[in-house]
Coordinates of all heavy atoms in Angstrom, one line a residue:
S717 N -31.6 -0.5 4.9 CA -30.2 0.0 4.7 C -29.6 0.0 3.4 O -28.5 0.2 3.1 CB -29.2 -0.3 5.8 OG -29.1 -1.7 5.7
G718 N -30.5 -0.4 2.4 CA -30.0 -0.4 0.9 C -29.3 -1.7 0.6 O -28.7 -1.7 -0.4
Q719 N -29.3 -2.6 1.5 CA -28.6 -4.1 1.0 C -29.8 -5.0 0.6 O -30.8 -4.9 1.1 CB -28.0 -4.6 2.3 CG -27.0 -3.6 3.0 CD -26.4 -4.2 4.4 OE1 -26.0 -5.5 4.4 NE2 -26.3 -3.4 5.3
E720 N -29.3 -6.1 -0.1 CA -30.0 -7.0 -0.4 C -30.0 -8.1 0.5 O -28.9 -8.6 1.0 CB -29.8 -7.7 -1.8 CG -30.3 -7.0 -3.1 CD -32.0 -6.9 -3.0 OE1 -32.5 -7.8 -2.7 OE2 -32.2 -5.8 -3.1
P721 N -31.1 -8.6 1.1 CA -30.9 -9.8 2.2 C -30.3 -11.0 1.5 O -30.4 -11.3 0.3 CB -32.4 -10.3 2.4 CG -33.2 -9.0 2.0 CD -32.5 -8.3 1.0
R722 N -29.5 -11.7 2.2 CA -28.6 -12.7 1.6 C -29.1 -14.0 2.0 O -28.5 -15.2 1.6 CB -27.2 -12.6 2.1 CG -26.7 -11.2 1.4 CD -25.2 -10.8 2.1 NE -24.2 -11.9 2.0 CZ -23.3 -12.3 2.9 NH1 -23.3 -11.7 4.0 NH2 -22.4 -13.2 2.6
L723 N -30.1 -14.2 2.9 CA -30.7 -15.5 3.4 C -32.1 -15.2 3.5 O -32.4 -14.3 4.3 CB -29.9 -15.9 4.7 CG -30.1 -17.3 5.1 CD1 -29.5 -18.3 4.1 CD2 -29.6 -17.4 6.5
D724 N -32.9 -16.1 2.9 CA -34.4 -16.0 3.4 C -35.0 -17.4 3.6 O -35.2 -18.1 2.9 CB -35.2 -15.4 2.0 CG -36.5 -14.8 2.4 OD1 -36.8 -14.8 3.7 OD2 -37.1 -14.4 1.6
R725 N -35.1 -17.5 4.9 CA -35.5 -18.8 5.4 C -36.6 -18.5 6.4 O -36.7 -17.5 7.2 CB -34.3 -19.5 6.3 CG -33.1 -19.8 5.5 CD -33.2 -21.1 4.8 NE -32.1 -21.3 3.8 CZ -31.7 -22.5 3.4 NH1 -32.0 -23.5 4.1 NH2 -30.7 -22.6 2.5
P726 N -37.5 -19.5 6.6 CA -38.4 -19.4 7.7 C -37.7 -19.5 9.0 O -36.7 -20.0 9.2 CB -39.3 -20.8 7.6 CG -38.8 -21.5 6.5 CD -37.5 -21.0 5.9
D727 N -38.3 -18.8 10.0 CA -37.9 -18.7 11.3 C -37.9 -20.1 12.0 O -38.6 -21.0 11.6 CB -38.7 -18.0 12.3 CG -38.7 -16.3 11.9 OD1 -37.8 -16.2 11.1 OD2 -39.2 -15.7 12.6
A728 N -36.8 -20.5 12.9 CA -36.8 -21.7 13.5 C -38.0 -21.8 14.4 O -38.3 -21.1 15.3 CB -35.5 -21.7 14.3
D729 N -38.8 -22.9 14.2 CA -40.0 -23.0 15.0 C -39.8 -23.9 16.3 O -38.6 -24.5 16.5 CB -41.2 -23.6 14.1 CG -40.9 -24.9 13.6 OD1 -40.0 -25.6 14.1 OD2 -41.6 -25.4 12.7
A730 N -40.8 -24.1 17.1 CA -40.7 -24.8 18.4 C -40.3 -26.2 18.2 O -39.4 -26.8 18.9 CB -41.9 -24.8 19.1
A731 N -40.7 -26.8 17.0 CA -40.3 -28.3 16.6 C -38.9 -28.4 16.4 O -38.0 -29.4 16.9 CB -41.2 -28.9 15.6
V732 N -38.3 -27.4 15.6 CA -36.9 -27.5 15.4 C -36.1 -27.2 16.5 O -35.0 -28.0 16.8 CB -36.5 -26.3 14.3 CG1 -35.1 -26.1 14.2 CG2 -37.2 -26.7 12.9
K733 N -36.5 -26.3 17.4 CA -35.7 -26.0 18.6 C -35.7 -27.3 19.6 O -34.7 -27.6 20.2 CB -36.4 -24.8 19.3 CG -36.2 -23.5 18.7 CD -36.8 -22.4 19.4 CE -37.3 -21.3 18.6 NZ -37.9 -20.2 19.4
T734 N -36.8 -28.0 19.5 CA -36.9 -29.3 20.4 C -35.8 -30.2 19.9 O -35.1 -30.9 20.8 CB -38.4 -29.7 20.4 OG1 -39.2 -28.8 21.0 CG2 -38.3 -31.1 21.3
V735 N -35.8 -30.5 18.7 CA -34.8 -31.3 18.0 C -33.5 -30.9 18.2 O -32.6 -31.7 18.8 CB -35.0 -31.4 16.5 CG1 -33.9 -32.2 15.8 CG2 -36.4 -32.2 16.2
W736 N -33.1 -29.6 18.2 CA -31.7 -29.1 18.6 C -31.4 -29.4 20.0 O -30.4 -29.9 20.2 CB -31.6 -27.6 18.3 CG -31.7 -27.2 16.9 CD1 -31.4 -28.0 15.8 CD2 -31.9 -25.9 16.4 NE1 -31.4 -27.2 14.6 CE2 -31.8 -25.9 15.0 CE3 -32.3 -24.7 16.9 CZ2 -32.0 -24.7 14.2 CZ3 -32.4 -23.5 16.2 CH2 -32.2 -23.6 14.9
R737 N -32.3 -29.2 20.8 CA -32.0 -29.4 22.2 C -31.8 -30.9 22.5 O -30.9 -31.2 23.3 CB -33.3 -28.9 23.2 CG -33.0 -29.0 24.6 CD -34.2 -28.8 25.4 NE -34.5 -27.4 25.4 CZ -33.9 -26.3 26.3 NH1 -32.9 -26.8 27.0 NH2 -34.2 -25.1 26.2
E738 N -32.6 -31.7 22.1 CA -32.5 -33.1 22.3 C -31.2 -33.7 21.7 O -30.5 -34.4 22.4 CB -33.6 -33.9 21.7 CG -35.0 -33.6 22.4 CD -36.3 -34.3 21.7 OE1 -36.0 -34.7 20.6 OE2 -37.3 -34.3 22.3
R739 N -30.8 -33.2 20.5 CA -29.6 -33.6 19.9 C -28.3 -33.2 20.7 O -27.4 -33.9 20.9 CB -29.4 -33.1 18.5 CG -30.3 -33.8 17.4 CD -30.2 -35.2 17.4 NE -28.7 -35.7 17.2 CZ -28.3 -36.7 17.7 NH1 -29.2 -37.4 18.7 NH2 -27.1 -37.0 17.5
L740 N -28.4 -31.9 21.1 CA -27.2 -31.3 21.9 C -27.1 -32.2 23.1 O -26.0 -32.4 23.6 CB -27.4 -29.9 22.1 CG -27.2 -28.9 21.0 CD1 -27.8 -27.6 21.0 CD2 -25.7 -28.8 20.7
C741 N -28.2 -32.4 23.9 CA -28.2 -33.1 25.1 C -27.6 -34.5 24.9 O -26.9 -35.0 25.6 CB -29.6 -33.1 25.9 SG -30.0 -31.5 26.5
A742 N -28.1 -35.2 23.8 CA -27.7 -36.5 23.5 C -26.3 -36.6 23.2 O -25.5 -37.6 23.5 CB -28.5 -37.0 22.4
L743 N -25.7 -35.5 22.6 CA -24.3 -35.5 22.4 C -23.3 -35.0 23.5 O -22.2 -34.8 23.4 CB -24.1 -34.3 21.1 CG -24.6 -34.9 19.8 CD1 -24.8 -33.7 18.9 CD2 -23.6 -35.9 19.1
G744 N -24.1 -34.7 24.6 CA -23.3 -34.4 25.9 C -23.1 -33.0 26.2 O -22.2 -32.6 27.0
C745 N -23.8 -32.1 25.4 CA -23.7 -30.6 25.7 C -24.5 -30.3 27.0 O -25.4 -30.7 27.4 CB -24.5 -29.9 24.5 SG -24.1 -28.3 24.5
R746 N -23.6 -29.5 27.7 CA -24.1 -29.1 29.1 C -24.5 -27.6 29.0 O -24.2 -26.9 28.2 CB -22.8 -29.1 29.9 CG -22.2 -30.5 30.1 CD -20.8 -30.6 30.7 NE -20.9 -29.9 32.0 CZ -20.3 -28.7 32.4 NH1 -19.8 -27.9 31.3 NH2 -20.4 -28.2 33.5
E747 N -25.6 -27.4 30.0 CA -26.0 -26.0 30.3 C -26.6 -25.3 29.0 O -26.2 -24.2 28.7 CB -25.0 -25.2 30.8 CG -24.1 -25.7 32.0 CD -24.9 -25.6 33.4 OE1 -25.8 -24.8 33.3 OE2 -24.5 -26.3 34.2

Side-chain angles (χ1 to χ4, degrees):
S717 57
Q719 305 172 41
E720 277 305 311
R722 296 167 60 217
L723 190 72
D724 200 4
R725 301 272 167 149
D727 289 357
D729 60 21
V732 167
K733 293 180 200 174
T734 300
V735 170
W736 287 343
R737 181 188 289 279
E738 288 174 356
R739 289 305 306 145
L740 285 164
C741 290
L743 289 161
C745 193
R746 303 163 56 252
E747 307 284 347

